[in-house]
Amino acid sequence: MALAAVGDPREFRDPVSAEELEQFETDVLAGFVLARTSAGLADGTIRGDVGHLEQMRAWFGRPLWAPAPLMLGPRPSASVRQDRAI
């Protein structure tokens, strides 16, 4: 069994710059492409997947991992259950 040194997750981190955020997004996208390539997917499939991710990123106008405040509300299924008194 191996032990790993882990920092305190509550530790405050300085805000990242726009350049650092762009580099992180590039690294994440490169990791996605490498994972899809190592899974044996065709180049056209990977290109299409990356294109879809870029379209979603442009549509949301923010990183995909940063949900909008409206996305954090109750799930639609919960409100439907309340309306139907299920």
Side-chain angles (χ1 to χ4, degrees):
M1 176 179 241
L3 296 177
V6 178
D8 184 3
R10 296 170 292 189
E11 181 179 309
F12 178 75
R13 293 186 62 178
D14 292 332
V16 296
S17 67
E19 182 180 329
E20 289 174 324
L21 183 60
E22 184 177 339
Q23 289 173 354
F24 177 71
E25 288 179 343
T26 301
D27 289 346
V28 169
L29 194 57
F32 175 78
V33 170
L34 287 173
R36 306 286 282 177
T37 302
S38 66
L41 293 168
D43 290 345
T45 302
I46 297 170
R47 192 173 17 261
D49 291 344
V50 169
H52 291 139
L53 288 174
E54 290 175 344
Q55 286 177 356
M56 287 178 57
R57 169 70 166 90
W59 187 67
F60 284 130
R62 64 177 50 90
L64 296 177
W65 60 84
L70 294 176
M71 293 178 191
L72 297 175
R75 294 173 296 166
S77 58
S79 62
V80 169
R81 284 189 207 115
Q82 284 178 334
D83 293 343
R84 293 184 182 174
I86 295 176

